[in-house]
Amino acid sequence: MTAAKPAPATSLNVDLGDRSYPIHIGSQQIARSDLAQYIQGQKALIITNTKVAPLYLDALTAQLSGKQVDSLVLEDGEQHKNLDTLNSIFTALINGQHDRKTTLIALGGGVVGDMTGFAAACYQRGVPFIQVPTTLLAQVDSSVGGKTAVNHSLGKNMIGAFYQPQAVIIDTDTLATLPEREFSAGMAEVIKYGLIADSEFFSWLENNVQALLQRDDQALAYSIKRSCSNKAKVVSADETEQGVRAILNLGHTFGHAIETYQQYRGWLHGEAVAAGMVMAAQLSALSGKMTDHDVARIRDLISAYGLPTDPPREMSANDFMALMVRDKKVLDGQLRLVLLEGIGSAVVTADFKLSLLEQILQQTCHG
Ligand code: NAD
Ligand code: GLY
């Protein structure tokens, strides 16, 4: 699946003053000889899940042989990203007599990463943590930027904290074992960067569909680096989402409604975001902010990566509205959405007609 010659390793920095950290991207990063430098104390707890542990836990543990390393293997799946699982992490930490010098290491996709980060933010009021993301989605998005959270049955990512990791170690070799559906879900967030801030990258993605679907090593490494670079820029400008960072949520108000409606057991996060981005683009066009031609390009690209472009058949317009009003971007009771002003330019705004949103929902929902 991967090309014979791996792309050279590369590093970026997330600039956040004394909370700055590196993102290392490349082949064999789990085997980096300097990995232990990111563990300040003597102890670490690797948090992973039943699917990822058999694949990469031994390799990561071996690389930290000079430290005392425990591991905790969680159940796999978005439906386990909740307070019960978080509590099981705290139990393991207390039972293992972990103190404030312990470093937590998230080995897995965004679910493991978000929960490990939140546990690190809370345990003894904060311990260091490292992200070792193993899905495309986690490598291009969730491991970078310090958003951590768990879901509530009434709403996605409703309980969480901003808490930055010490480092993000992206081993692109781990993508070789990622199922096709999960790979496509990650592409949704890659496409997002083209849409919100990088029209040149969007065109590149249009021209490199086959290379990416075949997981060409060079194409993948380029996409991951460009995505992380886009994300790092936005996070550095607005760490705690007081303003511009919200553009990273393009499609997410619709997507989170889908995930919550399905109680985190239906569509994958990336699939829900993909359909949500098309809905946001349709509303942008109807509001006169972008052309129908651009909406068609967005729909075509999302579809080319095997992602849904319409909401799930079972959801009604009312289902969407009832869940969207709980979105974290709602301020003083007013719904704000990320809309597009063309490909490569996004705006967070409450300045749209509710009747047009309802029109889009009526047109696209069949439930
Ligand atoms: P996930 O963590 O559930 O991983 C997807 C699946 O792939 C799981 O079954 C996992 O066990 C498996 N897997 C992981 N690595 C693998 C590998 N290398 N080989 C084979 N299988 C592997 O889902 P995800 O798509 O990585 O992340 C989605 C989550 O990320 C959502 O909860 C979402 O809310 C969150 N998220 C957070 C942010 C943020 O900024 N914190 C951003 C985007 C998404
Ligand atoms: N994925 C949204 C953010 O990191 O802000």
Side-chain angles (χ1 to χ4, degrees), residues 4-147:
K5 196 163 170 233
T10 177
S11 296
L12 301 168
N13 201 48
V14 183
D15 294 319
L16 288 169
D18 58 4
R19 290 181 310 290
S20 298
Y21 53 93
I23 307 171
H24 300 299
I25 306 166
S27 174
Q28 301 195 339
Q29 290 297 300
I30 285 180
R32 287 178 73 88
S33 57
D34 64 351
L35 204 57
Q37 72 165 309
Y38 296 113
I39 296 174
Q40 292 150 13
Q42 281 314 303
K43 287 173 86 169
L45 175 69
I46 301 175
I47 299 171
T48 184
N49 71 24
T50 49
K51 205 168 273 174
V52 179
L55 298 169
Y56 305 111
L57 180 56
D58 284 351
L60 182 58
T61 309
Q63 208 50 37
L64 300 170
S65 56
K67 303 280 181 183
Q68 184 188 323
V69 180
D70 294 339
S71 59
L72 176 66
V73 179
L74 304 174
E75 292 297 315
D76 181 28
E78 184 77 37
Q79 70 273 28
H80 298 292
K81 186 178 150 182
N82 55 35
L83 284 171
D84 287 343
T85 308
L86 191 73
N87 198 40
S88 75
I89 299 176
F90 297 138
T91 303
L93 283 162
I94 297 166
N95 279 337
Q97 296 187 321
H98 286 276
D99 61 27
R100 281 187 167 159
K101 284 214 147 182
T102 280
T103 296
L104 304 194
I105 305 176
L107 174 67
V111 168
V112 163
D114 278 14
M115 282 196 293
T116 303
F118 191 30
C122 300
Y123 185 63
Q124 299 198 1
R125 301 197 180 89
V127 294
F129 86 111
I130 300 171
Q131 290 275 14
V132 186
T134 60
T135 62
L136 179 61
L137 186 140
Q139 295 184 352
V140 299
D141 195 350
S142 62
S143 64
V144 175
K147 271 192 183 175

Side-chain angles (χ1 to χ4, degrees), residues 132-168:
V132 186
T134 60
T135 62
L136 179 61
L137 186 140
Q139 295 184 352
V140 299
D141 195 350
S142 62
S143 64
V144 175
K147 271 192 183 175
T148 75
V150 292
N151 302 326
H152 189 284
S153 60
L154 298 178
K156 170 91 180 159
N157 289 339
M158 276 293 165
I159 307 155
F162 287 97
Y163 194 68
Q164 302 294 340
Q166 303 296 305
V168 180

Side-chain angles (χ1 to χ4, degrees), residues 141 147 192 231 241 245 248-249:
D141 195 350
K147 271 192 183 175
K192 175 185 79 179
K231 178 145 190 186
E241 201 170 301
R245 182 168 179 164
L248 294 169
N249 289 323

